[in-house]
Amino acid sequence: MAQSKPPILQYKGKPLVRCENTLYYGDMADDYIVMLQILSTKPYEDMVIANKVMVSLMSTDPSVRLKDRIIKKTEKEGLYNALDVGSIWLLRALEEKKA
């Protein structure tokens, strides 16, 4: 019997995928995604949590140079704050593209 893949984690209806200290939020089939890079961590009780996170709104257009794909970027304290800003940027960018 074949094993089924675990479901992809989603946040506000969009995929959230982690690769080491980088998280990608959004669907690669859309025009934009958000990349979250964990720059530093800090201990909290018996866990390690993200402290500083770089948020980048990026185009998914493969014909554009990687450096030119970054539309906006900022640095936030904590993963929640970074993901909150990233989700707003992504929503606005996708809505503008539709209009």
Side-chain angles (χ1 to χ4, degrees):
M1 181 184 268
Q3 290 182 334
S4 62
K5 291 183 182 179
I8 294 176
L9 181 64
Q10 295 209 352
Y11 178 73
K12 295 186 178 181
K14 301 267 185 222
L16 181 65
V17 180
R18 181 178 181 170
C19 180
E20 295 184 16
N21 284 342
T22 305
L23 291 97
Y24 297 96
Y25 174 60
D27 191 348
M28 289 301 288
D30 289 339
D31 293 321
Y32 301 99
I33 61 162
V34 172
M35 180 174 67
L36 303 141
Q37 293 176 300
I38 299 172
L39 303 176
S40 67
T41 58
K42 66 180 180 180
Y44 177 76
E45 294 180 2
D46 61 341
M47 300 179 287
V48 177
I49 60 172
N51 187 25
K52 291 187 181 189
V53 181
M54 178 68 70
V55 183
S56 303
L57 176 67
M58 300 178 66
S59 171
T60 57
D61 186 356
S63 65
V64 178
R65 289 187 354 210
L66 186 59
K67 185 177 179 181
D68 296 332
R69 288 185 196 179
I70 297 173
I71 311 299
K72 291 183 183 182
K73 81 188 215 182
T74 188
E75 190 174 304
K76 292 293 179 187
E77 292 285 327
L79 185 58
Y80 177 78
N81 292 331
L83 195 53
D84 194 37
V85 167
S87 68
I88 291 168
W89 283 358
L90 183 61
L91 180 65
R92 288 180 182 170
L94 293 173
E95 284 178 357
E96 285 177 12
K97 189 70 175 182
K98 286 181 183 177

